[in-house]
């Protein structure tokens, strides 16, 4: 059973009617296209209308957007993340939320649609223990000091993916997705990533085990030798397709089915066993969090970080 529509949220705000929320959303989109900033009063009304709606057995919970962003930032970045890197990630998360809101034509954003877990304040302190206060204030400041800021491509908010660690450079989306929808995701160098502790990971496996994995992936009972597998790679070195006997699967599907750190992988013989060697961690598109943090530690501010990873995008304040 849903709770009363007039309940107050954690920050004391009341729910807005769907019609009001929708009109505010359309107004925002108009202002973005026209390049006009909101006044302070308009900005306050807009931001107070944005809520993340989380369903549970206890009912419906509304989380103000900026409050959600604090919890999402706590989940998506390491504990020792630099302040400017935290600010860059806050803009990334806010932009992704804005994309969902515009797609749904509503300022009520479904929690599940964001595909990003968010912690409550209590959970943040529980996660970080004695260092909770300092770290909480750092991420709270990052959200507050970038309030209302999002990234746009050709005047429209766009999805900004991120991942832990590249294999040396990020990927060009046009080599993976052919419709041009994500053409703003261009490959950039991440040379410092190769010095990360988890840059290279090894996954020992017997030939028999690998054969069973390949049979499952290619849905066959035939014996598959790993030497019969053929790969297609993009310019960043990530496997985009894996083929065997006229059957093809996507590289990302293959790596997830095998539980690999990234799709930048190779199969090598080591004595009597096999070893799947990966480089980097994650899908490789958008922001490498390791490089973002390195840039921040070396004096780059969050705007410079975002412009580096998304050179064709611009940062605006709604």
């Amino acid at each position: 059973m849903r709770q009363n529509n007039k309940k107050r949220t954690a920050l004391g705000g009341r729910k807005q009617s769907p019609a009001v929320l929708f009109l505010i959303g359309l107004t925002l989109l108009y202002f973005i296209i026209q390049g006009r900033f909101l006044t302070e009063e308009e900005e306050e009304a807009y931001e107070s209308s944005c809520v993340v709606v989380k369903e549970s057995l206890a009912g419906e919970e509304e989380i103000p957007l900026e409050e959600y962003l604090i919890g999402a930032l706590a989940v998506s970045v390491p504990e020792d993340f630099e302040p400017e890197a935290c600010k860059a990630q806050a803009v990334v998360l806010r932009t992704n939320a804005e994309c969902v809101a515009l797609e749904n034509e509503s300022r009520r954003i479904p929690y599940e649609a964001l595909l990003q877990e968010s912690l409550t304040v209590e959970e943040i302190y529980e996660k970080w223990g004695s260092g909770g206060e300092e770290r909480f204030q750092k991420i709270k400041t990052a959200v507050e000091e970038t309030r209302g800021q999002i990234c746009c491509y050709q005047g429209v908010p766009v999805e900004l993916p991120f991942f832990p660690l590249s294999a040396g450079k990020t990927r060009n989306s046009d080599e993976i997705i052919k419709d041009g929808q994500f053409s703003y995701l261009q490959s950039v160098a991440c040379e410092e990533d190769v010095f990360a502790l988890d840059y290279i990971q090894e996954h020992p496996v017997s030939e028999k085990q690998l054969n069973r994995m390949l049979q499952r992936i290619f849905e066959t009972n035939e014996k598959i030798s790993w030497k019969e597998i053929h790969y297609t790679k993009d310019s960043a070195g990530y496997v985009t397709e894996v083929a065997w006997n006229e059957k093809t699967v996507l590289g990302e599907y293959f790596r997830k089915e095998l539980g690999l750190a990234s799709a930048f992988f190779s199969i090598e013989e080591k004595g009597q066993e096999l070893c799947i060697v990966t480089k980097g961690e994650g899908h490789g598109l958008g922001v490498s969090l390791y490089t973002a943090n390195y840039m921040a530690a070396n004096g780059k501010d969050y705007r410079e970080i975002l412009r580096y990873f998304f050179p064709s995008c611009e940062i605006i304040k709604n």
Side-chain angles (χ1 to χ4, degrees), residues 80 82-85 290-301 305:
D80 60 351
E82 293 286 334
E84 289 299 314
Y290 188 91
T291 288
N293 198 50
Y294 175 82
M295 292 176 68
N298 284 272
K300 302 295 184 182
D301 68 23
I305 294 170

Side-chain angles (χ1 to χ4, degrees), residues 48-303:
S48 65
S49 75
C50 299
V51 293
V52 175
V53 181
K54 192 174 184 179
E55 301 279 356
S56 70
L57 294 177
E60 182 184 275
E61 177 187 7
E62 289 189 345
I63 308 168
L65 177 59
E66 300 297 295
E67 188 175 313
Y68 161 82
L69 292 175
I70 293 173
L73 190 56
V75 174
S76 63
V77 301
E79 296 179 10
D80 60 351
F81 226 48
E82 293 286 334
E84 289 299 314
C86 286
K87 292 178 188 178
Q89 183 67 358
V91 176
V92 165
L93 294 170
R94 186 182 294 104
T95 303
N96 290 340
E98 181 64 30
C99 288
V100 174
L102 290 175
E103 182 179 352
N104 291 349
E105 297 183 340
S106 172
R107 307 315 299 164
R108 289 168 53 81
I109 307 170
Y111 180 86
E112 295 77 12
L114 293 169
L115 303 178
Q116 174 60 60
E117 182 187 0
S118 178
L119 301 178
T120 64
V121 175
E122 292 77 14
E123 290 170 334
I124 291 173
Y125 276 86
E126 182 179 342
K127 174 185 177 182
W128 286 337
S130 59
E133 175 63 27
E134 179 181 351
R135 293 180 181 125
F136 174 75
Q137 289 301 325
K138 179 173 66 174
I139 60 176
K140 182 174 181 286
T141 298
V143 172
E144 290 176 345
E145 293 189 358
T146 61
R147 184 167 183 165
Q149 295 182 36
I150 60 174
C151 280
C152 290
Y153 174 62
Q154 297 181 349
V156 178
V158 285
E159 182 181 347
L160 304 180
F162 57 92
F163 61 99
L165 179 69
S166 82
K169 59 182 176 180
T170 63
R171 306 173 72 177
N172 186 332
S173 69
D174 287 341
E175 298 180 74
I176 309 167
I177 306 167
K178 304 301 182 182
D179 62 5
Q181 182 181 358
F182 299 95
S183 58
Y184 58 91
L185 298 178
Q186 303 167 22
S187 180
V188 298
C190 297
E191 297 173 354
E192 292 300 321
D193 284 8
V194 304
F195 299 110
L197 290 177
D198 296 328
Y199 174 67
I200 295 179
Q201 297 186 39
E202 297 185 349
H203 309 261
V205 61
S206 69
E207 193 161 357
K208 186 176 181 180
Q209 288 174 319
L210 183 56
N211 175 68
R212 287 200 298 266
M213 293 174 182
L214 294 175
Q215 286 177 323
R216 185 183 73 249
I217 290 173
F218 289 104
E219 300 179 342
T220 182
N221 292 322
E222 294 183 48
K223 183 177 180 179
I224 303 176
S225 169
W226 64 277
K227 294 181 180 179
E228 298 173 347
I229 301 298
H230 301 282
Y231 311 104
T232 301
K233 298 182 179 182
D234 61 20
S235 60
Y238 289 79
V239 174
T240 58
E241 292 182 340
V242 183
W244 171 79
N245 195 24
E246 298 184 355
K247 292 185 177 181
T248 302
V249 298
L250 295 177
E252 275 297 303
Y253 173 79
F254 187 89
R255 77 106 166 173
K256 288 178 180 178
E257 285 295 302
L258 265 64
L260 305 179
S262 83
F264 192 116
F265 64 85
S266 61
I267 303 175
E268 303 174 3
E269 290 181 292
K270 289 202 172 183
Q272 300 299 313
E273 296 292 305
L274 298 176
C275 187
I276 306 176
V277 180
T278 62
K279 294 182 179 181
E281 183 179 349
H283 50 63
L285 285 166
V287 178
S288 165
L289 295 177
Y290 188 91
T291 288
N293 198 50
Y294 175 82
M295 292 176 68
N298 284 272
K300 302 295 184 182
D301 68 23
Y302 73 96
R303 298 177 185 84

Side-chain angles (χ1 to χ4, degrees), residues 32-46:
I32 290 175
I33 294 173
Q34 295 298 319
R36 182 170 87 76
F37 293 148
L38 300 182
T39 65
E40 186 174 333
E41 291 77 12
E42 290 169 334
E43 181 181 329
E44 183 177 350
Y46 163 70

